[in-house]
Amino acid sequence: MATTSSMFMYSLTIQPPSAITQAILGQFAGTKEQQIVTASGSRLTLHRPDPVQGKITSMLSQDVFGIIRTLAAFRLAGSSKDYIIIGSDSGRITIVEYLPTQNKFNRLHLETYGKSGIRRVIPGQYLAVDPKGRACLIASVEKNKLVYVLNRNAQAELTISSPLEAHKPQTLVFAMVGLDVGYENPIFAALEIDYGESDQDPTGQAYEELEKSLVYYELDLGLNHVVRKWSDVVDRTASMLFQVPGGSDGPSGVLVCGEDNITYRHSNQDAQRVAIPRRRGATEDPQRKRMIVSGVMHKMRGAFFFLLQSEDGDLFKVTLDMAEDDSGQATGEVRRLKIKYFDTVPISSSLCILKSGFLFVASETGNHHFYQFEKLGDDDEEVEYASDAFPVDSTEPYTPVYFHPRPAENVNLVESIDSMNPIMDCKVANLGEEDASQIFAVCGSGARSTFRSLRNGLEVSEIVESELPGRPDAVWTTKITREDEFDAYIVLSFSNGTLVLSIGETVEEVTDTGFLSSAPTLAVQQLGDDGLIQVHPKGIRHIRAGGRVNEWPAPQHRSIVAATTNERQVAVALSSGEIVYFEMDSDGSLAEYDEKREMSGTVTCLSLGEVPEGRVRSQFLAVGCDDSTVRILSLDPDSTLENKSVQALTSAPSALSIMAMSDSTSGGSTLYLHIGLYSGVYLRTVLDEITGELSDTRTRFLGPKPAKLFRVSVKGQTAVLALSSRPWLGYSDPQSKGFMLTPLNYAGIEWGWNFSSEQCTEGMVGIQGESLRIFTIEKLTDNLLQESIPLSYTPRHFVRHPDQPYFYVIESDNNVLSPATRSRLLSDPSVVNGDAAILPPEDFGYSRGKGHWASCIQVIDPLTTKSVIHSIELEDNEAAVSVAAVSFSSQDDETFLVVGTGKDVIVSPRSFSHGFIHVYRFQEDGKELEFIHKTKTEEPPLSLLGFQGRLLAGVGTILRIYDLGMKQLLRKSQSEVVPNLIVGLQTQGSRIIVSDVQESVSFVVYKPQENRLIPFVDDVISRWTTSTTMVDYETVAGGDKFGNLWLLRCPQKASDEADEDGSAAHLVHERQYLQGAPNRLSLMCHFYPQDIPTSVQKTQLVAGGRDVLFWSGLQGTLGILVPFVSREDVDFFQTLEQHLRSEDAPLAGRDHLIYRSYYVPVKGVIDGDLCERYALLSNDKKQMIAGELDRSVREIERKISDMRTRVAY
């Protein structure tokens, strides 16, 4: 990367893409349990389905820094573990195994066979595996096929042969699958077309007569070569193949799926063909043919079936009937193919049937679904259609077959997995005056579209909330003896006394516990084998088994102000600034240490760590004083209460907690001192277990209230609950082991403690005002919480009301009947009863109709009602394409909602009758819209923007300024500024940034005296712009449809010239440069994140954080670009990135630098996602890189984590 760039950005992913392109099933951990591996963009994710709870958890997700095109699972004969083959854009075949002990993917083989990138003649697009795991075939779209033989060597390691070629020029492949032939020579089936003749024939006749064929390729294991064994013509619309079980399980062969037909084919069997049933209904077109878009084959003992899905989302169950001989034995000859309607699920890119009776649907858009099978659809009323009724020849006529869709009976949804794919538009805003912004996005398609609000936080599930007799100050839970598994008491401290509740079937007050109820409590602890400690302002009560009570009174005229305990030690601080230390004797009683230690100021808080395993005491006592210091005192018998180290703070400490937590640097667990300050700041420092030194401090601002800290246990790990104006949880990330501090999505509680009972083994108890709350945290993997509001159609764009917390979404769906057309068809008197059933569109989709549009404008309230509060349907086949909230100065700066629409739009090839601009007035503070008028335009206005109290519209290639009139909008100025089509507008001052659909961006200046719009700078590269934003007056950031992000800057001289008074004449007559504007933009930064940016915005994500560029990607990605402040940081991260490229090379074999420079060399951007993989390296690699960088491992990890936590989550 050229270090000459004057601007550097650090790229981070906030949320990885959630669009699953493929999902495969296998026993990747080598146990009986099945896992699902999914590919989304460049990420490989391993999910573990839990059949008991009916949930799916993701175990491991890794960015392979390459485009994953295809995945396959295979298992060598006789082994119990599945390996993963990845076909990617690296020009190499990759074989990976999952190591469950280290929870990581390990690459076993990487064989290069061609160039990198996605090209038509380089294999990698299709991948087929022999079911017995003996060979795999990787093929390109055209010409090339390679077969690799897989085996194992004497050490039982997987080996891979050199490739065997099966090339055929001028051949296009449409689908590829491995045949199940038992242990005979492996055979692969492909759907192919030879286009040689139609390429040579200019009349087009050869193209009309083209034939598609099903071809078998056989790998002869004896002779070690591949032959083309059999080929036969199939239906020209055929597009998918499914493997039919063979060997002892079935007849072998394939199902060929085409338009409106499914055919069984095999080299030694008769073909059997059935039509795909069509939906029957008043609003359905009876002539529309269906295609199969995905499917799955499932084998059970002695039987198998297929579930195939049409493009409406309907699942069909397909089975084969075998011919029988006289004695009733199956002969292996297929007699008929049968199909029947099964259920309807969302349209999927992959289906997986688990042995435990679940169906995983990787949805094409919207949330992924996890279903449980209730039954297999054997004994229901559905009509079954058999192949006897249909001709084998696809050209012969036949009667179509129909079915009535119905709500699901065979499968039952148990979990919906959040997926934001596709994100159509996204905005960051702070609606509810909270301390951090939220992210709002419109995503999904059709009736499964949603409006989502995301906030940083962990999901909390509340178990109990109960009112208390007063307002408690603190709460504790305690066991009675050390052997107890669960807590027995909840102790509540009030300003004038203490209340003890017992935990059982119900929670009730108990009085005979030995606790002093007349005074407030400072600490509660189960001590030794069977003792309890209560610390109160006047002393310490030690309650022994059998109800004996020992009391240690505080010295006269002094009271206890702070206390800390663990199961063998107690330390208290007196109001005089003295510290008294006790340790448990061998007989279980508390012994006071002879000397008191006097501190310099008043003690505000104390902490003893837990007693480490196999020790008799915790080594250190942390003491916080009001002179803004924390001191570490030794508790060693030789040097009791001696000062070990001191740390100065920015304000007085309000809470301390010493605890051991797992640590990514050492790989084991490390002792930390957590510090909370009165200023609301939280600090975490490493406490050296031998010397007591404090090092590596990390800070985070929690909120304006003083921070309190509590040790809790979540998901089997020790975590810290930090309370300020809102609750936070500090924990180790389950995958990277790095420390995370995330707010909880919960009420602001004032005190918390760990809670464990039979009903709730890992919970927390907290107090808020006068109520007691018990809650748990279900999962730590997801730190973005989503709330979704359903929308009617595919959202296109949305805008926010300038003052109120409402959003306005425009939605439109192509080839879908509008509500008016639907109700007209349903009210037709000839409709039969069964056809008039209206099914919920979110499950079944809308009725299709070619050339029709359904479109609406919806008002969303994401804060109070969390729903759509107003809807306006568009009539006359109009589709909304753009929206803006514009204030018109001619109407006393009143804001109006302006919506651009197109009538009778055909997307490709692009055509329309004309466009309109609708104007709406806000009513009732923006809750409702009132239509004012609409203005006809020659083309649909694809971009609208408020500009200097008027409306700026991009209509085709023309940029036009409108003002609001009584009957319609009035043109004020116009100019042709781009060559193709205006798709985006941004403005500052009198400068307008215009994006063209394929010619990047142009800067235009508006000169009010001359009333001219003059372009003065454009770009050198034709970028297919999708979204842009202004970073400052000279700089624009944007994305294009190939998945690039870029920053462009206008030359300073040209910028100043354009804004000079009276420069209009000069600008108009300035000489054009190469048929464009007189000046050119210069490229500042360029990066390839591998997702199409649908929105870019300059914003802050966390309270007090710096401005970042926040972008959203079509496949559900959310990412940021963080500007670097100092040159020193840039050099550090550049060197780190170079080391990681060589030490942690991408899993699928793609070169990281070339991958990030897919279209244009990467410039001025450092890949933060790669840098964050440093934490996952082995210890010796970390040490080696740290040595090269001349830093400590901790320092590097702190720098990497600071880059993220200072600006994002």
Side-chain angles (χ1 to χ4, degrees), residues 919-956:
V919 180
Y920 296 91
R921 180 178 257 128
F922 294 124
Q923 299 288 7
E924 296 186 38
D925 290 341
K927 285 184 191 162
E928 288 190 5
L929 298 173
E930 178 199 4
F931 175 67
I932 295 179
H933 55 60
K934 65 180 185 180
T935 309
K936 195 168 173 180
T937 57
E938 58 273 37
E939 287 197 28
L942 292 183
S943 189
L944 301 170
L945 184 69
F947 174 69
Q948 298 184 354
R950 302 200 259 181
L951 168 69
L952 197 59
V955 182

Side-chain angles (χ1 to χ4, degrees), residues 802-866:
D803 316 310
Q804 305 296 334
Y806 303 124
F807 286 101
Y808 303 90
V809 186
I810 55 166
E811 304 159 31
S812 54
D813 264 331
N814 193 9
N815 294 336
V816 162
L817 301 182
S818 68
T821 319
R822 279 207 302 274
S823 50
R824 197 183 72 240
L825 288 168
L826 284 167
S827 60
D828 185 354
S830 64
V831 171
V832 224
N833 292 342
D835 292 355
I838 301 173
L839 293 158
E842 56 273 15
D843 298 330
F844 294 89
Y846 291 111
S847 307
R848 311 280 183 93
K850 200 166 170 53
H852 289 262
W853 283 87
S855 183
C856 69
I857 306 162
Q858 295 194 317
V859 186
I860 309 271
D861 174 0
L863 278 194
T864 43
T865 64
K866 299 192 177 172

Side-chain angles (χ1 to χ4, degrees), residues 567-604:
E567 56 196 38
R568 301 185 62 91
Q569 297 158 288
V570 178
V572 295
L574 303 177
S575 49
S576 56
E578 292 167 306
I579 286 179
V580 191
Y581 169 62
F582 303 83
E583 204 168 298
M584 195 177 77
D585 271 356
S586 48
D587 64 347
S589 61
L590 274 184
E592 182 184 345
Y593 178 67
D594 314 339
E595 298 165 32
K596 297 184 176 58
R597 165 76 194 264
E598 200 153 329
M599 303 307 285
S600 52
T602 307
V603 177
T604 56

Side-chain angles (χ1 to χ4, degrees), residues 690-731:
I690 293 149
T691 62
E693 290 293 322
L694 295 172
S695 61
D696 185 37
T697 306
R698 301 191 189 183
T699 60
R700 184 83 180 262
F701 175 63
L702 302 182
K705 289 187 180 171
K708 303 191 183 100
L709 305 174
F710 305 97
R711 172 201 169 100
V712 292
S713 134
V714 178
K715 292 279 168 226
Q717 59 160 296
T718 308
V720 57
L721 178 68
L723 306 179
S724 173
S725 52
R726 62 197 280 201
W728 296 68
L729 188 76
Y731 57 97

Side-chain angles (χ1 to χ4, degrees), residues 14-15 428-429 434-440 453-460 700-702 726-729 731 740-746 780-787 1101-1103 1110 1118 1204-1209:
I14 303 274
Q15 177 177 290
V428 177
E434 297 179 34
D435 53 359
S437 302
Q438 301 93 49
I439 301 166
F440 298 97
S453 44
L454 284 84
R455 65 188 61 231
N456 178 30
L458 290 170
E459 189 58 70
V460 172
R700 184 83 180 262
F701 175 63
L702 302 182
R726 62 197 280 201
W728 296 68
L729 188 76
Y731 57 97
M740 307 272 285
L741 189 65
T742 311
L744 301 181
N745 184 29
Y746 203 53
L780 297 176
T781 45
D782 207 8
N783 65 352
L784 273 180
L785 289 173
Q786 298 189 12
E787 284 180 344
L1101 283 181
V1102 295
F1110 174 85
L1118 299 176
R1204 184 183 276 272
T1205 53
R1206 284 194 182 148
V1207 294
Y1209 353 100

Side-chain angles (χ1 to χ4, degrees), residues 117 166 224 255 358 361 477 480 493 545 565 575 640 658 666 857 876 940 948 987 1109 1150 1187:
N224 203 25
L255 289 188
F358 288 90
V361 177
T477 58
I480 297 181
S493 165
T565 59
S575 49
T640 310
I658 298 177
S666 63
I857 306 162
D876 296 337
Q948 298 184 354
T987 180
L1109 274 181
R1150 188 85 165 103

Side-chain angles (χ1 to χ4, degrees), residues 981-1174:
L981 190 61
I982 296 176
V983 291
L985 296 169
Q986 304 286 335
T987 180
Q988 272 186 32
S990 58
R991 177 169 299 178
I992 305 160
I993 313 283
V994 183
S995 0
D996 180 81
V997 68
Q998 83 181 64
E999 290 294 338
S1000 190
V1001 294
S1002 307
F1003 283 38
V1004 175
V1005 65
Y1006 175 61
K1007 295 289 181 186
Q1009 298 91 353
E1010 293 83 359
N1011 194 18
R1012 296 283 302 257
L1013 290 156
I1014 310 162
F1016 63 95
V1017 185
D1018 58 17
D1019 198 1
V1020 285
I1021 292 182
S1022 56
R1023 305 178 197 279
W1024 295 66
T1025 325
T1026 55
S1027 58
T1028 52
T1029 187
M1030 288 185 81
V1031 181
D1032 57 37
Y1033 194 56
E1034 262 86 38
T1035 318
V1036 61
D1040 64 38
K1041 77 166 197 182
F1042 296 106
N1044 299 301
L1045 279 169
W1046 29 263
L1047 263 87
L1048 303 169
R1049 183 164 283 172
C1050 169
Q1052 192 65 46
K1053 182 164 166 281
S1055 173
D1056 297 344
E1057 257 175 33
D1059 287 346
E1060 280 171 18
D1061 280 345
S1063 64
H1066 164 67
L1067 287 172
V1068 172
H1069 300 298
E1070 196 169 0
R1071 219 173 108 222
Q1072 287 194 338
Y1073 178 62
L1074 300 177
Q1075 288 92 37
N1079 300 293
R1080 291 290 179 267
L1081 295 163
S1082 55
L1083 180 68
M1084 303 302 294
C1085 296
H1086 201 286
F1087 187 66
Y1088 174 73
Q1090 215 248 291
D1091 199 351
I1092 301 170
T1094 52
S1095 75
V1096 185
Q1097 165 180 11
K1098 181 177 157 188
T1099 182
Q1100 283 182 351
L1101 283 181
V1102 295
R1106 289 211 311 275
D1107 273 354
V1108 296
L1109 274 181
F1110 174 85
W1111 66 276
S1112 68
L1114 187 74
Q1115 301 178 350
T1117 318
L1118 299 176
I1120 54 172
L1121 292 173
V1122 190
F1124 278 106
V1125 181
S1126 72
R1127 187 74 218 193
E1128 181 193 357
D1129 278 355
V1130 174
D1131 294 340
F1132 167 80
F1133 279 103
Q1134 264 183 327
T1135 327
L1136 176 64
E1137 193 182 29
Q1138 277 164 358
H1139 283 300
L1140 282 165
R1141 277 178 186 147
S1142 55
E1143 291 307 318
D1144 183 38
L1147 187 70
R1150 188 85 165 103
D1151 182 293
H1152 176 268
L1153 179 63
I1154 300 174
Y1155 166 67
R1156 288 300 188 199
S1157 314
Y1158 226 108
Y1159 294 94
V1160 174
V1162 62
K1163 177 177 183 179
V1165 181
I1166 287 164
D1167 187 359
D1169 295 337
L1170 179 68
C1171 295
E1172 289 190 339
R1173 285 195 56 79
Y1174 178 78

